[in-house]
Amino acid sequence: MHDPNTPFSEPEKAGLYRAIHERRDVRSQFLPDPVPPQVLARLLDAAHHAPSVGFMQPWDFLVIDSLEVRRRVHGIFLRENEKGARQFTGERQQRYRSLKLEGILESPLNLCISCDRSRGDGPVLGRTSIVDMDLFSTCLAVQNLWLAARAEGIGVGWVSILDQDELAMVLGLPEPVYPLAYLCIGYVSEFLGEPELARKGWRRRLPLAELVHGNGWGQAPGDGELCKVLEGSCPR
């Protein structure tokens, strides 16, 4: 068994940071190649090793390869996407309609990561004040899977433009189970050099130095040296 107290080597650290910085929300680069079961098992195992409040492990993983089920989910997306488009006007709406925001049918595999909000025996340690900690825990499972997938050369796209109640009905989820993340998964033709929404001019990444505060909102952290390291001085 690997000793957890062994320091990470420089190549191991570099690999982790590379996966973080090169992770992309994939919509339109999916290949039809199937994801081997042993690779999918590694991704699910990575997700299952996410931290969770009270160690409640509220997640379940619905592996969806049925074209019929995916078509029904795609129908939900089309309806909700049209609603989303109508919330914008003018050039912004045109740009929205030009974006591809899912790969439900193009990806060889869909995966729904759900959150069982009733899991645990009675009150859950650490969730007695912030009841949504189970949802936050499940988000960490999503991120674990996403980073592991990037390391495996597999793309992941999170489809957030869905009616969750309709999705739960399509997937036959019991009452306390919430469909937190609907993911498209598969090998891709390429990983883009920057997020697709940045490349297409929807939004740019904010400067990190402008988002770091110290001890209170709007205050520079420490003596300001951290801000200097973070690509410039903090504008406080």
Side-chain angles (χ1 to χ4, degrees), residues 3-4 13 57 89 95 103 111 125 138 189 219 232:
D3 182 357
K13 288 188 284 186
Q57 306 159 75
T89 58
R95 182 168 295 186
L111 176 72
L125 186 154
T138 307
S189 58
Q219 299 180 36

Side-chain angles (χ1 to χ4, degrees), residues 32-121:
D33 310 53
V35 177
Q38 62 270 27
V39 176
L40 179 59
R42 288 199 294 269
L43 302 186
L44 296 175
D45 188 57
H48 187 46
H49 277 77
S52 62
V53 64
F55 203 43
M56 70 181 293
Q57 306 159 75
W59 43 72
D60 282 271
F61 306 99
L62 287 80
V63 180
I64 303 160
D65 55 11
S66 164
L67 186 57
E68 178 186 354
V69 173
R70 287 188 285 155
R71 282 174 174 160
R72 293 177 67 188
V73 175
H74 189 248
I76 300 173
F77 166 81
L78 292 176
R79 293 191 296 274
E80 292 300 309
N81 193 50
E82 180 58 30
K83 292 179 186 177
R86 291 199 296 267
Q87 295 184 40
F88 301 93
T89 58
E91 185 275 336
R92 197 69 165 169
Q93 185 183 96
Q94 294 178 15
R95 182 168 295 186
Y96 180 99
R97 292 186 183 279
S98 72
L99 297 171
K100 181 168 177 54
L101 300 176
E102 51 77 38
I104 295 171
L105 300 179
E106 294 88 346
S107 60
L109 194 66
N110 292 182
L111 176 72
C112 182
I113 300 183
S114 63
C115 177
D116 185 345
R117 311 213 65 185
S118 66
R119 189 162 294 166
D121 301 319

Side-chain angles (χ1 to χ4, degrees), residues 155-190:
V156 176
W158 187 332
V159 185
S160 60
I161 306 173
L162 293 170
D163 182 290
Q164 298 301 81
D165 291 333
E166 284 190 66
L167 180 60
M169 290 180 61
V170 168
L171 299 179
L173 303 184
E175 180 61 33
V177 177
Y178 178 74
L180 184 133
Y182 194 89
L183 308 174
C184 306
I185 296 177
Y187 291 102
V188 297
S189 58
E190 65 172 333

